Amino acid sequence: MPTNPDLINQKFDHSMSAQIQQVSRTTKNVSTAVLITVLLALLAIMVYLGMEQHVLSRQQEEIKEDYSLINNITFGIFSVDEWGEKIGNVVNHQVGNFNMNTDQKEDLQKEIEGQLNGLINKTTREITKPQKSLAGKLKKLAFNTFVDTDELHAQVPSFARTIINKINSPGSMKRLKGIATSKMEELEKQTFDRSSSATTKVSKYIYQKYKVDNVSDFEESIKSKITAIQVQLKNYFYAMAACALFALLLWIPLRKYRWLHPSLFVLSALIALVLIWVGVSTTIIEVDARMERLDFMLLGEKITFMNQVLFFQSKSILGIVQTLMAQPKPDAVIVGVLILLFVVVLPVVRLVGRAIYVWGRDRYADNKIIRYIALELGKWDMADVMVVGIAMTYIGLNGILKSQLSGLNMDTDTLKTITANKSSLQPGYYVFVTYVVFVIILSWILKRIDRDNKKLETVKN
């Protein structure tokens, strides 16, 4: 039976077309699976980095709160007990090391001689004044007969030297120092502000917590811990920013492969969710005003207070919201609700809506609610405004603190104070900035996808 060449060619073309479509579907499925695997691995890394950064941020906040508590100015410069202890140490040291030098002995010699001469003159005037009674007249007569006033005055210097030698003897000096020390201790016990017990309890608790025995060990331990945490936080932030950048750079080589766009966009949206979670839950700003050093001269010795914390506060965006909503004032609660709504809730809803819009375009392309959330809700997203607001708040606070603290700096012969403003923006703020930039670029990509899809639909129609 003769074979129709045209029929054979048609079957061959149909078979080849089916094979090509099958290969194309297989290639698309494989490339999509590879992309999803890579992005899921990237997402897992970012989740891990975010969790670590969240934990480290909480640790740093707790450590700095403990440090600000034990070094609070209330338990230092403003504590009568602390001043009493330091002054008592100075006085006791002065008393314990006290010894008369030659000049002091000469001054004391003159003082004693003056007192003795004054006593002789007073006694002489009292006895030699006119007497009315017989006993008085007899005393006056006996005094004038047997006492030579000039001779008494001549013996005054030797009496004064004897007294000084007696005072400077080891036994007398020891008794004098003991009397002075006991009186000072008695005065210390009478002067207190009832904060010593609280200070002792706080110090004991914190020393046990950080396994140290004294202030110097505590300072060294805190410094090393904070330094290590800050290095880790910076490294984690850089790693998260690198992962986000890598996800964005994937759009460049894959922009022509439309079947990869839904998977790539959805996983990019999940990366953005990780960024906003870390950005709003970790510390964004620290306000730290302290008096680094106060030196006060007393009796030739220096009384020193170190690292006296005037004010410390660290907050995340969610912490700010929580603080505002806990206030008894309705206006503060309203501000907290607005920040939560426009900075946290709406951006998350917007990301979810965009992911649904791109992933289920065939199903939700004409859904007005999904389309509005994906394309129109951006006008209510205030995350970028929050970034600017935090930056302006930090700049304003920094200027105010520097101005106020500069007025406390003094440098005189008896008093020297050095203040420091250690306020700073924390890695959480930079993660939040990364989120905002990431979402802005993702919004631009979504517009490109939507525009290209509309062009394709127009061509098909």
Side-chain angles (χ1 to χ4, degrees), residues 92 94-100 164-183:
N92 288 335
Q94 290 288 328
V95 170
N97 295 321
F98 176 74
N99 284 300
M100 285 188 188
I164 292 174
N165 291 334
K166 185 64 175 177
I167 291 175
N168 281 278
S169 66
S172 298
M173 188 62 69
K174 183 178 180 180
R175 286 193 295 272
L176 287 173
K177 291 177 181 180
I179 293 171
T181 302
S182 63
K183 290 297 181 182

Side-chain angles (χ1 to χ4, degrees), residues 393-436:
T393 300
Y394 170 71
I395 293 171
L397 281 174
N398 214 32
I400 292 172
L401 286 174
K402 284 185 177 179
S403 176
Q404 296 298 317
L405 291 175
S406 62
L408 297 177
N409 290 326
M410 301 179 185
D411 191 359
T412 65
D413 294 337
T414 58
L415 178 64
K416 182 178 182 179
T417 59
I418 301 174
T419 58
N421 175 22
K422 295 186 177 293
S423 302
S424 61
L425 292 173
Q426 294 298 300
Y429 173 76
Y430 299 108
V431 174
F432 193 71
V433 171
T434 303
Y435 156 77
V436 171

Side-chain angles (χ1 to χ4, degrees), residues 6-24:
D6 293 336
L7 182 61
I8 294 174
N9 289 335
Q10 288 178 2
K11 289 182 178 180
F12 178 77
D13 291 341
H14 180 74
S15 176
M16 289 298 295
S17 177
Q19 290 180 11
I20 291 171
Q21 290 180 3
Q22 180 65 31
V23 171
S24 178

Side-chain angles (χ1 to χ4, degrees), residues 11-43:
K11 289 182 178 180
F12 178 77
D13 291 341
H14 180 74
S15 176
M16 289 298 295
S17 177
Q19 290 180 11
I20 291 171
Q21 290 180 3
Q22 180 65 31
V23 171
S24 178
R25 283 196 298 270
T26 302
T27 302
K28 289 180 179 180
N29 291 336
V30 171
S31 60
T32 301
V34 171
L35 177 64
I36 291 175
T37 302
V38 171
L39 287 177
L40 284 176
L42 192 68
L43 182 64

Side-chain angles (χ1 to χ4, degrees), residues 168-297:
N168 281 278
S169 66
S172 298
M173 188 62 69
K174 183 178 180 180
R175 286 193 295 272
L176 287 173
K177 291 177 181 180
I179 293 171
T181 302
S182 63
K183 290 297 181 182
M184 189 62 202
E185 290 175 352
E186 182 180 345
L187 181 61
E188 288 178 22
K189 292 179 181 179
Q190 294 174 356
T191 307
F192 63 96
D193 59 2
R194 300 183 185 276
S195 67
S196 58
S197 59
T199 305
T200 302
K201 289 180 180 178
V202 169
S203 301
K204 183 178 180 181
Y205 166 74
I206 293 180
Y207 288 169
Q208 288 179 347
K209 182 177 180 180
Y210 293 94
K211 298 179 180 179
V212 295
D213 298 323
N214 50 59
V215 175
S216 60
D217 290 343
F218 174 74
E219 293 278 348
E220 185 177 350
S221 174
I222 291 298
K223 186 177 180 180
S224 62
K225 287 179 182 293
I226 292 296
T227 301
I229 288 175
Q230 288 177 344
V231 171
Q232 287 181 294
L233 284 173
K234 287 181 181 179
N235 291 337
Y236 287 147
F237 163 68
Y238 293 144
M240 289 190 72
C243 290
L245 179 61
F246 177 77
L248 290 176
L249 291 176
L250 283 176
W251 284 94
I252 297 175
L254 301 179
R255 65 185 183 277
K256 296 180 181 179
Y257 305 100
R258 299 182 186 280
W259 70 88
L260 295 176
H261 290 176
S263 301
L264 182 54
F265 191 90
V266 169
L267 288 166
S268 296
L270 291 175
I271 289 174
L273 288 175
V274 174
L275 288 172
I276 192 174
W277 163 63
V278 178
V280 301
S281 64
T282 57
T283 304
I284 58 170
I285 189 171
E286 280 186 358
V287 182
D288 187 346
R290 65 178 67 178
M291 185 171 290
E292 281 195 333
R293 189 180 185 92
L294 182 146
D295 293 329
F296 181 78
M297 297 300 296

Side-chain angles (χ1 to χ4, degrees), residues 63-82:
I63 291 172
K64 289 191 174 182
E65 284 177 353
D66 289 340
Y67 182 85
S68 65
L69 176 61
I70 200 170
N71 288 284
N72 193 281
I73 193 171
T74 304
F75 297 141
I77 296 176
F78 287 170
S79 171
V80 176
D81 291 332
E82 192 71 17

Side-chain angles (χ1 to χ4, degrees), residues 420-461:
N421 175 22
K422 295 186 177 293
S423 302
S424 61
L425 292 173
Q426 294 298 300
Y429 173 76
Y430 299 108
V431 174
F432 193 71
V433 171
T434 303
Y435 156 77
V436 171
V437 175
F438 188 88
V439 168
I440 290 174
I441 298 175
L442 212 58
S443 300
W444 179 79
I445 292 172
L446 178 62
K447 291 179 181 178
R448 289 289 300 269
I449 292 174
D450 192 56
R451 185 185 64 187
D452 293 343
N453 288 334
K454 286 181 180 179
K455 288 181 180 179
L456 185 61
E457 290 174 359
T458 303
V459 172
K460 287 181 179 180
N461 294 332

